[in-house]
C-alpha cells in the first residue's frame, strides 16, 4: 500500500468517524465519505469501490453492536441477507456497463415521499407493532430487500433510508428498523465490495484507514441510538433524508 501523509490520514480518520456515527443510526454516511475520497484526489474510478470497503467495515460493526443488544430480528434479517447480497452484486456489475445518472430524479421523488410520509405519521416508529409476516408482506419485503440491494450496488445514495423505511412499514420502531436495516446494508456493501475487488476498483491505502475510523464511529453511533431510543433516531432520520434530497437536487441542477 502507498504511504499517506499525516494530514491526509487525519482527514480520512475524522471524516470516516463522523460519517459512521451518522450512518450507523440512520444511513447517509456516503454523503460524507464519497466527497471526502474525491477531495483526496483519488481517481473517481476507485472512489465507489474504496467507499464500499470502508462502508463494509462500518456496517459490520453497526450490525454486530445491534445484534449483541438484541435489537435485530435474527431469523427475518438472515432470510433477507442473501437477497440484498445478490442484488448489490448485480447492481455493481451493471454500473460498470451503463451510467447511473438516470436514477437521480427518481431517487429525489422517492426520498421526498419517504420524508413527507414520516412527517405526517406523528407517532410512527415510536413503539414496535410488528407481530409477524403475512404471505403478502413476505413477498414485498423480499422484493424490497433485493431491489434496494441492487440500487445500493448500482447507485447508492439513500439506500440506508429506504431500508429503514422498509422495516418501519412492517411495524418496527425506529431503533429496531435501523438495527435490522444494518444487516441488509452489510449484505449489500459486501456484495458490491466483492464485485469492485474483482474489477480492481478498490484502494486499500485509502479504504482501510477510513474503515478503521468508521468502526469507532459506528460503535459510538449505535450505542448512542440504543441509549437515546426512537426519540433521537426519528429526528436524525428526517434530517438525513432532507439533506439527501437537497444534495440530489443540487447535483441535478448542476448537471
Amino acid at each position: 500500500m502507498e504511504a499517506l501523509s499525516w494530514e491526509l490520514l487525519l482527514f480520512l480518520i475524522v471524516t470516516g468517524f463522523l460519517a459512521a456515527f451518522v450512518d450507523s443510526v440512520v444511513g447517509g454516511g456516503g454523503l460524507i465519505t464519497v466527497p471526502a475520497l474525491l477531495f483526496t484526489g483519488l481517481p473517481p474510478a476507485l472512489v465507489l469501490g474504496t467507499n464500499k470497503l470502508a462502508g463494509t467495515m462500518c456496517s459490520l460493526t453497526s450490525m454486530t453492536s445491534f445484534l449483541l443488544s438484541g435489537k435485530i430480528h435474527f431469523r427475518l434479517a438472515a432470510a433477507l441477507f442473501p437477497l440484498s447480497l445478490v442484488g448489490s452484486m448485480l447492481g455493481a456489475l451493471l454500473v460498470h456497463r451503463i451510467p447511473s445518472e438516470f436514477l437521480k430524479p427518481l431517487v429525489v421523488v422517492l426520498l421526498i415521499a419517504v420524508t413527507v410520509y414520516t412527517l405526517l405519521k406523528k407517532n410512527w416508529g415510536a413503539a414496535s407493532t410488528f407481530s409477524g409476516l403475512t404471505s403478502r408482506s413476505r413477498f414485498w419485503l423480499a422484493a424490497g430487500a433485493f431491489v434496494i440491494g441492487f440500487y445500493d450496488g448500482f447507485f447508492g445514495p439513500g439506500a440506508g433510508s429506504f431500508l429503514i423505511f422498509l422495516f418501519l412499514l412492517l411495524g418496527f420502531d425506529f431503533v429496531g428498523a435501523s438495527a435490522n436495516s444494518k444487516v441488509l446494508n452489510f449484505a449489500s456493501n459486501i456484495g458490491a465490495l466483492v464485485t469492485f475487488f474483482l474489477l480492481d476498483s478498490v484502494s486499500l491505502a485509502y479504504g482501510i484507514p477510513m474503515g478503521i475510523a468508521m468502526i469507532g464511529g459506528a460503535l459510538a453511533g449505535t450505542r448512542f441510538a440504543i441509549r437515546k431510543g426512537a426519540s433521537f433516531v426519528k429526528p436524525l432520520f428526517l434530517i438525513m433524508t432532507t439533506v439527501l434530497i437537497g444534495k440530489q437536487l443540487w447535483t441535478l441542477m448542476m448537471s
Side-chain angles (χ1 to χ4, degrees):
M1 294 194 300
E2 63 183 278
L4 302 179
S5 68
W6 281 107
E7 295 86 354
L8 185 55
L9 186 61
L10 182 61
F11 176 72
L12 291 173
I13 289 171
V14 171
T15 55
F17 184 91
L18 292 174
F21 184 92
V22 174
D23 193 81
S24 63
V25 184
V26 293
L31 282 174
I32 300 172
T33 55
V34 171
L37 289 168
L38 286 169
F39 181 78
T40 65
L42 194 68
L46 290 178
V47 167
L48 287 179
T50 304
N51 181 60
K52 283 300 177 189
L53 172 58
T56 299
M57 296 169 73
C58 172
S59 58
L60 174 60
T61 305
S62 301
M63 180 185 70
T64 303
S65 296
F66 278 126
L67 184 62
L68 293 175
S69 72
K71 297 293 183 181
I72 291 176
H73 191 298
F74 185 79
R75 289 182 60 189
L76 178 61
L80 297 171
F81 187 95
L83 294 170
S84 288
L85 179 71
V86 173
S88 69
M89 293 181 77
L90 293 174
L93 281 172
L94 190 61
V95 78
H96 276 73
R97 297 181 178 274
I98 62 173
S100 59
E101 300 301 305
F102 69 91
L103 278 180
K104 289 181 180 178
L106 177 60
V107 170
V108 172
V109 172
L110 290 175
L111 283 170
I112 290 173
V114 165
T115 305
V116 171
Y117 188 87
T118 306
L119 278 169
L120 293 176
K121 300 274 285 187
K122 295 297 182 182
N123 296 317
W124 197 42
S128 178
T129 59
F130 178 72
S131 58
L133 297 173
T134 63
S135 297
R136 185 177 180 180
S137 63
R138 193 174 285 111
F139 168 79
W140 286 111
L141 181 60
F146 178 83
V147 170
I148 297 172
F150 179 90
Y151 167 75
D152 195 24
F154 184 67
F155 188 49
S161 298
F162 294 139
L163 285 171
I164 290 173
F165 190 74
L166 184 65
F167 282 102
L168 286 170
L169 289 174
L170 288 175
F172 285 89
D173 63 14
F174 265 95
V175 176
S178 180
N180 285 280
S181 73
K182 288 297 161 238
V183 181
L184 304 193
N185 196 214
F186 173 65
S188 62
N189 276 335
I190 195 132
L193 177 62
V194 168
T195 307
F196 283 127
F197 261 123
L198 293 174
L199 295 169
D200 197 26
S201 296
V202 180
S203 169
L204 296 178
Y206 287 73
I208 289 177
M210 177 175 270
I212 291 172
M214 290 183 80
I215 290 174
L219 285 171
T222 51
R223 289 174 181 173
F224 196 70
I226 292 166
R227 188 167 68 248
K228 294 293 184 179
S231 60
F232 163 75
V233 179
K234 183 175 181 177
L236 186 57
F237 175 80
L238 290 170
I239 290 169
M240 286 309 298
T241 53
T242 303
V243 171
L244 276 164
I245 291 166
K247 195 269 182 186
Q248 295 305 314
L249 284 173
W250 176 260
T251 303
L252 281 171
M253 290 187 293
M254 292 296 102
S255 59

